[in-house]
Amino acid sequence: NAGVTQTPKFRVLKTGQSMTLLCAQDMNHEYMYWYRQDPGMGLRLIHYSVGEGTTAKGEVPDGYNVSRLKKQNFLLGLESAAPSQTSVYFCASRVIQVGNYGYTFGSGTRLTVV
Amino acid sequence: AQSVTQPDIHITVSEGASLELRCNYSYGATPYLFWYVQSPGQGLQLLLKYFSGDTLVQGIKGFEAEFKRSQSSFNLRKPSVHWSDAAEYFCAVYSMGGGSNYKLTFGKGTLLTVNP
C-alpha cells in the first residue's frame, strides 16, 4: 500500500549508542518531517525537509541529525542516545500543492533509551 | 509564533452522547486547521481540515468542526459517540511564513474515553 513506512517499529538502545531511523514514502512527496511524541506534549517537530538534499531544524533539533539524499527517504540519526530521547517518533510527508496541506503519517517508531 | 491550545487533557463521555473537543489557535494570518485522531499504538489519521470557505467542515467517521475566527477556535463535534471513537485527538495549525515555514504545529492532545 502506498504511504509512509518507518523502520524499525521498536528499538531499545543503551545510553551513548547510535542509531538511524528510516522513513520512506512512495507518494513522490516533496516535504518530509520528523516529529517526536511524548505524553502530555503532543507532537514536536525535530527536523524537516522541503526537498532532496535540503534539511532544516524544527523546534527540538538538539541531539538529532537528518539526511535527505533521496527524495523518497528521510533519515533521522541519533549519534549518542540519551534517556531523554526515549519517545515515539513519527515521520510524515506531504505534497507541494497549494491548498493541500494535509500530512500523511507513518505508524511510528517506539524508541527506549536505557 | 503560531500555537494551538487544547484546554481539555482528558474527556469522558457515554456512548451515544454528543461530543465537543475544544481547540484554540494563535496565528497571525488566515489559518489552515486540522484535526487528527490517534488510536492506541497507531499513527495519526486526518479527520478533517479547514482552509477557506464554509466555516463548518465535515470529516470522516461522522465528525465535524466549526471555524470561528472571532474566537480563534476550531472545535470538533460529533452528535453521537461510538465506543470505537475512544482515542487521542490532536488539533493542528499549518504555518506558511516567517521562521516556521511549511509545518504543522500541534496541540497537546485530548484523550477521549467512551463509557458503555
Side-chain angles (χ1 to χ4, degrees):
Chain A
N1 292 335
V4 178
T5 303
Q6 293 183 232
T7 53
K9 296 190 182 303
F10 303 93
R11 184 73 184 268
V12 178
L13 283 180
K14 294 182 179 180
T15 298
Q17 287 184 320
S18 63
M19 79 164 294
T20 299
L21 282 67
L22 172 62
C23 176
Q25 53 94 3
D26 58 5
M27 298 170 287
N28 203 35
H29 286 177
E30 288 290 341
Y31 294 174
M32 297 186 74
Y33 307 82
W34 276 108
Y35 284 86
R36 60 176 291 173
Q37 182 180 30
D38 303 290
M41 300 296 292
L43 279 81
R44 294 178 292 169
L45 182 66
I46 305 171
H47 287 280
Y48 65 101
S49 169
V50 299
E52 182 178 321
T54 69
T55 62
K57 294 180 180 180
E59 54 183 312
V60 289
D62 293 343
Y64 305 95
N65 58 74
V66 288
S67 64
R68 183 99 182 268
L69 299 180
K70 293 183 178 180
K71 184 177 183 180
Q72 63 268 32
N73 296 336
F74 194 30
L75 279 62
L76 178 70
L78 287 73
E79 292 185 347
S80 179
S84 61
Q85 294 178 303
T86 294
S87 187
V88 181
Y89 292 86
F90 286 99
C91 178
S93 70
R94 80 165 187 86
V95 65
I96 294 180
Q97 184 178 23
V98 175
N100 184 1
Y101 304 111
Y103 289 17
T104 300
F105 282 87
S107 58
T109 295
R110 186 173 295 275
L111 175 65
T112 302
V113 183
V114 298
Chain B
Q2 71 283 353
S3 65
V4 177
T5 301
Q6 295 180 245
D8 303 305
I9 297 173
H10 188 191
I11 284 182
T12 300
V13 300
S14 298
E15 191 169 16
S18 63
L19 172 69
E20 182 170 30
L21 301 182
R22 296 183 291 165
C23 171
N24 294 98
Y25 68 90
S26 173
Y27 186 57
T30 300
Y32 297 93
L33 296 160
F34 302 80
W35 275 100
Y36 283 85
V37 60
Q38 184 182 31
S39 298
Q42 302 298 311
L44 279 77
Q45 181 183 21
L46 179 66
L47 279 177
L48 47 78
K49 58 191 176 186
Y50 170 79
F51 294 151
S52 64
D54 193 347
T55 56
L56 184 63
V57 294
Q58 303 297 320
I60 61 172
K61 304 185 179 186
F63 285 92
E64 66 179 25
E66 186 171 13
F67 170 62
K68 293 185 177 181
R69 184 185 299 275
S70 62
Q71 299 178 16
S72 297
S73 69
F74 188 55
N75 294 348
L76 182 71
R77 301 193 294 246
K78 188 170 185 179
S80 178
V81 171
H82 188 263
W83 64 266
S84 60
D85 293 324
E88 190 158 21
Y89 292 80
F90 293 93
C91 183
V93 62
Y94 185 80
S95 61
M96 294 283 287
S100 304
N101 282 327
Y102 318 119
K103 73 177 184 74
L104 278 177
T105 298
F106 288 86
K108 295 184 178 181
T110 297
L111 181 64
L112 175 66
T113 298
V114 181
N115 287 333

